[in-house]
Amino acid sequence: MFPSQDKNPNDRDLVSRARQGDREAFTQLIVQYQVPLYNMALRMVGGREDAADIAQEAFLRAWEKIRTLRDAPFKSWLFQIAANLCYDHFRRNRRYGTMPDEETHNIVGLGIATPDPQERAEAGERNRLVRQSIQALDHDMRIAIVLRDVNGMAYDEIASVLQVPLGTVKSRIARARAQVQERLQQHPEFFPREDVHAE
Amino acid sequence: MPSEPRVPIEPTLEELSALIDNELDAAAHARVAEHVAGCQECQARLEGLRQTAHAVRGLPMETPPRTFTIPAQRRQAWRWAPVGWLGSGAVALLLIAVGIQNLHLHLSAGPTATSGSTSTVSGGLAYGPAQGQKGAVAPLAAPAPSPQLFDSQSRGSAMNAATVVDPTNSSRRLVLDTDSASYPTTGRMQVTAQLIGSPLTSLNSANQGLTLTLVRNGLGVALNPVGVESWNGTPIFGGWYDIAGFPLSAPRAGDYRLEATWVIPDGSGRVLQSSVPIRLTGN
Ligand SMILES: [Zn+2]
């Protein structure tokens, strides 16, 4: 088997200080997790302000409840809180439609460098289609693929965030990928169907 | 279809997907990899999944639009009390003129009421006399939310939320939130109260024992909590409320608290109460 992702050894110390009420230590945890947590929420709910609300509320609840955190890794626990908030969000907004897909601004330069304007436009369009395809997934599949392919979590970590068996994680990720693939292939100009040819 | 008889077992979608993630155990990994090496069709399936995973992984990480903070003091996470101070008969849609005062003074000792939970629980704070309270209540029409209910498009950005957990049942929570902590006196406030772990699925607020009250200086106006939906057994109440319609005393602007009180409908007499600060501005 393959080891799960690094459980940041730094967390343990910060968490134990935060449990004593050390705000500074908790603030360091916020700094460490704000981008991945926000992006998880963003890919789940689609809207920036909603995603920021969810991340803020997750940190607040984590801060309030950190004394109840025993041996579980902080990261899984924090993401579990945020995942539950995403589900709360869907519950509240179920009747009222979904947020429109927001145009991207405010992007950290972690993507592929595309200096050429046309390439950049194409990359933007590809990303928009990918975001749309993720948004079209049902919530259970969406969160599985987001935790895996946006947050880079190992399957056992995802299982502990979602509190489901490993087999469920595996099947949700697989089905999510298959559905995203199917949607992307409806745009062959951006996602050409790859046939593997024997040379 | 296997392209060679030597590799008869087609890997499943799950196996191919897990192969990309190196999440198969050694035996399965070897079996699937061997099959794929000899099967063009599975090579194409695998390649498609791999490209999909890469497309998702290629989404740029975005910077949050604001910084996340925690308050200087822990939010008062929850409070509770014997039901005596609020007889079930008083759980109605009324303007509470005087009765709210004890409640307000004791419960809302303010955000400075220390580390929240433990002290408040064990203290089991005694509230004002249960008797005579009804007499102090002056009935008036409760403001009702406007019919369009939530409009997710116009949700404000600053969510204002509080959660209380039932100390005897950690899966039971009262979650109260509004879409902002500050409104003009002519504005509209979006309120949501989720009764997580309620023993009932009813969307009737009286059956659920839920009241919403906007309180200032011992005076409160009760808001009519409208059942929005029951989701997987969780009753959700709320709506948009036009603040201009509230019978508030002058000056209308000022600092209030919105309090949700839930007399848990299981006969135990336990009460959960959540509150969030609300500032009204203008005149
Ligand atoms: Zn095959």
Side-chain angles (χ1 to χ4, degrees):
Chain A
M1 290 299 284
F2 300 86
S4 56
Q5 292 227 318
D6 235 344
K7 313 270 194 285
N8 195 325
N10 219 4
D11 283 5
R12 188 167 300 207
D13 176 50
L14 291 174
V15 167
S16 98
R17 282 164 53 201
R19 282 169 53 105
Q20 311 299 313
D22 184 340
R23 293 182 77 242
E24 187 52 42
F26 193 86
T27 301
Q28 285 184 47
L29 289 167
I30 293 180
V31 168
Q32 193 165 319
Y33 288 112
Q34 57 186 356
V35 170
L37 193 74
Y38 168 74
N39 278 270
M40 182 274 256
L42 179 62
R43 296 304 164 225
M44 286 305 292
V45 303
R48 286 199 180 79
E49 287 301 329
D50 286 335
D53 286 346
I54 285 168
Q56 171 65 76
E57 182 65 14
F59 284 123
L60 209 46
R61 290 191 189 185
W63 168 241
E64 284 167 353
K65 298 196 298 189
I66 196 159
R67 280 173 299 185
T68 69
L69 176 64
R70 299 290 167 207
D71 297 323
F74 177 78
K75 182 182 172 191
S76 315
W77 182 70
L78 175 67
F79 275 76
Q80 188 185 336
I81 293 171
N84 288 335
L85 289 167
C86 290
Y87 279 88
D88 285 349
H89 172 90
F90 296 135
R91 231 171 272 172
R92 267 203 305 273
N93 291 289
R94 208 160 57 97
R95 285 196 176 169
Y96 315 109
T98 51
M99 294 295 289
D101 187 39
E102 293 177 28
E103 282 312 307
T104 40
H105 54 76
N106 214 10
I107 289 179
V108 185
L110 299 181
I112 303 154
T114 52
D116 172 55
Q118 174 161 359
E119 273 179 47
R120 193 160 52 213
E122 281 176 16
E125 179 60 11
R126 268 199 303 275
N127 286 341
R128 194 183 66 77
L129 292 169
V130 173
R131 291 199 307 273
Q132 248 175 26
S133 309
I134 295 172
Q135 288 289 309
L137 295 169
D138 86 32
H139 303 151
D140 290 343
M141 279 193 262
R142 195 187 310 169
I143 197 155
I145 195 174
V146 165
L147 291 174
R148 173 62 214 159
D149 289 329
V150 173
N151 293 107
M153 287 188 184
Y155 286 15
D156 60 352
E157 201 172 12
I158 297 171
S160 85
V161 170
L162 300 181
Q163 304 276 293
V164 298
L166 212 52
T168 306
V169 171
K170 197 182 283 187
S171 103
R172 285 183 188 171
I173 291 172
R175 284 183 295 141
R177 283 174 175 161
Q179 289 189 18
V180 169
Q181 182 183 353
E182 199 178 330
R183 286 189 164 259
L184 295 181
Q185 283 175 345
Q186 291 167 12
H187 305 275
E189 68 279 23
F190 293 108
F191 300 94
R193 214 183 187 104
E194 287 292 322
D195 290 318
V196 176
H197 301 286
E199 296 306 319
Chain B
M1 295 297 115
S3 57
E4 295 182 46
R6 176 172 75 79
V7 281
I9 307 162
E10 288 295 318
T12 62
L13 171 67
E14 292 181 15
E15 286 174 325
L16 290 174
S17 166
L19 184 71
I20 294 172
D21 297 324
N22 276 345
E23 291 270 6
L24 290 173
D25 64 44
H29 188 101
R31 173 172 51 77
V32 173
E34 189 192 351
H35 173 95
V36 170
C39 174
Q40 286 190 19
E41 193 169 321
C42 283
Q43 284 169 24
R45 290 168 72 200
L46 185 65
E47 188 54 26
L49 288 171
R50 184 172 277 143
Q51 288 183 359
T52 303
H54 284 170
V56 178
R57 290 172 196 180
L59 286 176
M61 289 294 254
E62 300 194 17
T63 320
R66 48 194 147 99
T67 54
F68 304 123
T69 56
I70 48 172
Q73 274 155 329
R74 280 190 167 84
R75 216 163 38 172
Q76 196 169 4
W78 59 272
R79 316 131 159 190
W80 77 316
V83 71
W85 60 270
L86 236 191
S88 56
V91 182
L93 309 174
L94 302 172
L95 178 110
I96 302 169
V98 176
I100 199 80
Q101 191 149 14
N102 283 317
L103 167 69
H104 186 58
L105 294 181
H106 285 91
L107 288 177
S108 304
T112 54
T114 68
S115 48
S117 27
T118 37
S119 63
T120 327
V121 186
S122 54
L125 298 174
Y127 295 102
Q131 303 308 319
Q133 197 153 348
K134 282 183 205 168
V137 169
L140 276 187
S146 45
Q148 62 262 55
L149 291 173
F150 306 127
D151 169 5
S152 62
Q153 306 301 312
S154 49
R155 278 195 58 197
S157 58
M159 193 199 255
N160 189 25
T163 300
V164 305
V165 179
D166 184 339
T168 65
N169 175 353
S170 62
S171 63
R172 177 175 293 149
R173 291 180 286 152
L174 170 59
V175 181
L176 173 68
D177 67 68
T178 62
D179 55 335
S180 171
S182 175
Y183 301 89
T185 52
T186 53
R188 335 182 101 172
M189 173 167 63
Q190 182 193 330
V191 180
T192 307
Q194 299 179 59
L195 311 185
I196 299 168
S198 173
L200 304 179
T201 54
S202 168
L203 290 178
N204 178 312
S205 60
N207 292 347
Q208 287 286 358
L210 174 70
T211 51
L212 292 175
T213 315
L214 189 65
V215 181
R216 179 181 62 179
N217 295 334
L219 290 172
V221 55
L223 312 189
N224 184 8
V226 168
V228 176
E229 63 175 333
S230 175
W231 196 90
N232 277 1
T234 293
I236 300 174
F237 291 79
W240 282 104
Y241 296 84
D242 278 313
I243 295 165
F246 291 5
L248 301 173
S249 51
R252 297 169 66 83
D255 289 326
Y256 295 74
R257 293 195 74 78
L258 178 66
E259 306 194 324
T261 303
W262 183 21
V263 182
I264 298 164
D266 61 359
S268 68
R270 286 200 315 282
V271 177
L272 297 183
Q273 191 170 58
S274 271
S275 73
V276 292
I278 299 291
R279 170 166 293 177
L280 299 186
T281 58
N283 48 51

